Amino acid sequence: LLDISFLSDLKRMNKRQVFYQFLSFGMIVSSALMIWKGLIVATGSESPVVVVLSGSMEPGFYRGDLLFLTNDLEDPIRAGDIAVFRIKGRDIPIVHRVLQVHERDDGYVKFLTKGDNNAIDDRGLYAPGQLWLEKGDVIGRAKGFVPYIGMVTIVMNDYPKFKYAVLGLLGIFVLLNREA
Amino acid sequence: MNTFLSRLNSLFAMTMTVLAGLTFCCFLSTVHHTHHSIAKLDTPSVLVRQAPDYMIGHEINDLGHMTLNIDADLNHLFNWNVKQLFVYITAHYKTEKNAFNQVVLWDKIIRRGESARLQYSRVNPKYYFWDDGFGLRGNPNVTLALQYNVIPNSGRLLNIYAEGRHVVSMPENYIKGRA
């Protein structure tokens, strides 16, 4: 299936063109990185886009849906907000809804969460001895939603060989594709 | 543009672009909606007692119990870009210990296609109304509100309050025993 003309193109490239190819590749990578970092600053969240990993919020959010988060610390946490948080000591972000909020005069907030599709609240999920979540546990609150797109990330995580294959092919394609 | 792979590549890129464009248009088409609605809430019976909260290490807290009357028609909130309404009733109040408390008492998931006419009489709350402390007894202003989270096919996730709050004045006395 690989066309031979594609390889002969490669032979005809001189040093300058090879450098140019690498430079274009570098531009694409750094633009993507800057957009991502810019989003982090603009939203205040360390992870402005998350993929829903579990079915605990069905039928609203399914595994593979994408959520856009903001983490405005001035905006108070209220019941019904969809919070994405991490339990201390664990990596996986959890997307659940705030069930109860208690906020003190000095600004300290503690809250309880529950997944829509779960029968009970999340106390069983928190760290041993932890009864409430605090502002510091929250990565952000979901403000926007796009369905299905995140499935790519889930497939790439479940099948790392697929991820390397895709990245490898993309890299080769970008490096060897000559602007006509 | 004449190899199988480059055709496949263009086809794939075109599909993704069109899908992304359609998704964005779907979001734009309903971005101006206000999702306004009116709800009537009532609490036919309101009780408060003290009890050990077994979920947080048997600490004794105030436990409220109020049955609910709910009357709201949310059918007009559904459109092609709303796939689900997560409806919930919250009680918010102020106590000596905490400047702001908010507890979800009842919730319901309404998917597009299901009836969104809520008519409930004397229904029990779904969740325990635990306070963090003893701030419920005699609390003159516990406000109940119906809220809903509009979950779109693509777009903004919004939490909207329905118009029509109900203020409850909690009883001055605890009930004792298992009433």
Side-chain angles (χ1 to χ4, degrees):
Chain A
L1 288 170
L2 279 172
D3 201 328
I4 304 295
S5 72
F6 161 72
L7 289 175
S8 67
D9 252 359
L10 182 56
K11 278 187 233 158
R12 271 183 271 136
M13 280 199 218
N14 62 29
K15 229 194 271 185
R16 196 142 162 257
Q17 277 166 334
V18 169
F19 277 133
Y20 184 77
Q21 292 299 117
F22 276 95
L23 200 63
S24 308
F25 183 67
M27 277 299 287
I28 295 173
V29 169
S30 46
S31 305
L33 191 64
M34 283 319 291
I35 291 174
W36 181 246
K37 292 292 175 189
L39 267 183
I40 291 180
V41 170
T43 61
S45 164
E46 63 181 73
S47 179
V49 180
V50 290
V51 177
V52 176
L53 296 172
S54 74
S56 55
M57 285 292 277
E58 290 184 13
F61 305 146
Y62 289 95
R63 223 168 98 85
D65 291 340
L66 212 68
L67 290 175
F68 296 100
L69 310 181
T70 61
N71 194 19
D72 184 0
L73 294 169
E74 308 294 316
D75 181 22
I77 296 182
R78 291 293 173 249
D81 286 351
I82 298 170
V84 181
F85 55 91
R86 228 183 243 132
I87 312 283
K88 280 187 249 295
R90 289 179 222 163
D91 283 330
I92 309 176
I94 302 175
V95 183
H96 281 174
R97 202 180 285 274
V98 175
L99 191 70
Q100 281 186 28
V101 180
H102 296 287
E103 186 177 317
R104 284 205 307 242
D105 277 322
D106 60 9
Y108 172 73
V109 183
K110 61 185 187 189
F111 58 97
L112 178 63
T113 56
K114 173 182 169 294
D116 290 350
N117 206 21
N118 293 346
I120 52 167
D121 60 43
D122 290 345
R123 285 221 166 95
L125 284 180
Y126 299 163
Q130 183 185 15
L131 297 169
W132 304 92
L133 286 177
E134 297 165 356
K135 267 200 225 173
D137 297 317
V138 173
I139 300 172
R141 273 169 287 161
K143 298 289 178 203
F145 167 81
V146 179
Y148 311 126
I149 292 294
M151 252 319 183
V152 179
T153 318
I154 291 183
V155 165
M156 296 224 283
N157 268 327
D158 288 347
Y159 305 104
K161 289 203 188 125
F162 178 72
K163 173 164 68 174
Y164 299 137
V166 166
L167 288 178
L169 276 175
L170 271 176
I172 292 173
F173 194 75
V174 169
L175 282 174
L176 299 179
N177 183 36
R178 233 176 16 133
E179 302 294 309
Chain B
M1 279 299 247
N2 57 0
T3 66
F4 175 73
L5 272 186
S6 64
R7 280 176 181 160
L8 202 59
N9 178 46
S10 325
L11 188 65
F12 183 67
M14 179 64 156
T15 312
M16 289 293 116
T17 313
V18 168
L19 278 179
L22 276 178
T23 308
F24 188 66
C25 286
C26 193
F27 150 61
L28 276 185
S29 64
T30 56
V31 78
H32 57 278
H33 284 194
T34 49
H35 308 108
H36 172 263
S37 88
I38 304 175
K40 280 207 281 282
L41 297 171
D42 204 356
T43 46
S45 96
V46 181
L47 302 168
V48 68
R49 72 153 72 98
Q50 261 190 19
D53 188 349
Y54 49 85
M55 294 292 277
I56 53 174
H58 299 279
E59 178 182 304
I60 298 187
N61 285 319
D62 272 3
L63 175 62
H65 185 276
M66 42 183 78
T67 50
L68 306 164
N69 287 346
I70 309 168
D71 186 2
D73 188 352
L74 305 175
N75 276 314
H76 65 278
L77 295 171
F78 282 98
N79 57 50
W80 64 86
N81 199 23
V82 173
K83 77 172 180 185
Q84 177 185 311
L85 278 183
F86 185 86
V87 187
Y88 53 107
I89 293 181
T90 56
H92 63 87
Y93 58 97
K94 179 180 159 66
T95 64
E96 247 175 54
K97 185 176 178 201
N98 291 311
F100 182 83
N101 303 276
Q102 191 178 28
V103 175
V104 174
L105 295 178
W106 179 92
D107 60 34
K108 182 172 170 57
I109 292 178
I110 306 177
R111 307 179 70 170
R112 192 169 75 205
E114 293 171 4
S115 165
R117 177 88 178 88
L118 302 173
Q119 272 176 308
Y120 293 96
S121 177
R122 304 202 117 77
V123 77
N124 277 327
K126 258 187 163 190
Y127 304 105
Y128 284 110
F129 188 174
W130 288 109
D131 182 30
D132 176 36
F134 303 106
L136 284 182
R137 180 171 65 102
N139 195 319
N141 186 353
V142 172
T143 309
L144 265 67
L146 183 87
Q147 293 172 257
Y148 36 92
N149 182 202
V150 182
I151 300 186
N153 276 322
S154 77
R156 289 186 303 170
L157 290 165
L158 299 166
N159 272 339
I160 317 272
Y161 276 88
E163 215 181 284
R165 315 272 169 108
H166 175 70
V167 179
V168 181
S169 194
M170 302 298 285
E172 288 289 340
N173 301 308
Y174 289 124
I175 57 163
K176 298 214 186 308
R178 301 190 172 285

